[in-house]
Amino acid sequence: MDAVADLPRLVRTVLVTQLAVAAAFVVVAVLYVGRMVTAGVGPAEMVSGAYDPKDLVPFGLHAANPFFWLYAVISVVYLMGTAFTVPMAVYAVAVAARSTDRLSRRTRTLLLVGAGTTTFLLLARFTPPVADMHRWWLD
């Protein structure tokens, strides 16, 4: 039987959600830095409203545009990561510590690395440079 199929559904959901939250954060960071570099501006100009992240969506914002849906999914995952990071981290640490006989070492490691990474990214949102990025994305 497949090792992934043996994992409890909630553990798989937490692992995938942790990965999605971290990936959405990285995508937003890359878009922010890329937009700043290509425009030749600094963080102060980025939050002025002149460089709206919605302008990065090719072909405009409408429901028939698949790029709009990609932008919407990234936005939702990025923003909901702030609400789900702490409960996911608490669950991941508790499961990794308690279910040592049921989960493989690899799964426990992934849970703990995911919890640490998403918690670090959540705390990074409160630093001045990442707070500017967050403010830019919420524009």
Side-chain angles (χ1 to χ4, degrees):
M1 186 169 239
D2 189 55
V4 175
D6 290 341
L7 290 177
R9 184 174 291 168
L10 188 56
V11 172
R12 280 184 292 184
T13 302
V14 167
L15 284 171
V16 169
T17 307
Q18 286 174 336
L19 178 64
V21 166
F25 186 92
V26 169
V27 167
V28 170
V30 166
L31 290 173
Y32 177 71
V33 172
R35 179 77 165 157
M36 195 172 7
V37 169
T38 57
V41 297
E45 291 89 358
M46 290 295 287
V47 295
S48 69
Y51 303 97
D52 194 6
K54 291 181 279 307
D55 294 340
L56 297 173
V57 179
F59 311 119
L61 296 174
H62 53 82
N65 183 2
F67 294 109
F68 166 72
W69 290 104
L70 182 62
Y71 173 81
V73 167
I74 290 170
S75 292
V76 167
V77 172
Y78 174 77
L79 294 174
M80 293 309 292
T82 58
F84 292 142
T85 292
V86 174
M88 282 189 313
V90 169
Y91 175 80
V93 169
V95 167
R98 181 181 48 136
S99 300
T100 57
D101 57 331
R102 290 184 56 212
L103 299 176
S104 68
R105 182 181 186 115
R106 180 176 147 211
T107 303
R108 288 192 318 270
T109 302
L110 285 172
L111 281 169
L112 294 175
V113 167
T117 302
T118 55
T119 302
F120 172 76
L121 294 176
L122 176 67
L123 295 174
R125 290 180 193 218
F126 298 105
T127 63
V130 182
D132 287 343
M133 178 188 80
H134 188 68
R135 195 170 338 132
W136 171 76
W137 189 255
L138 291 178
D139 184 26

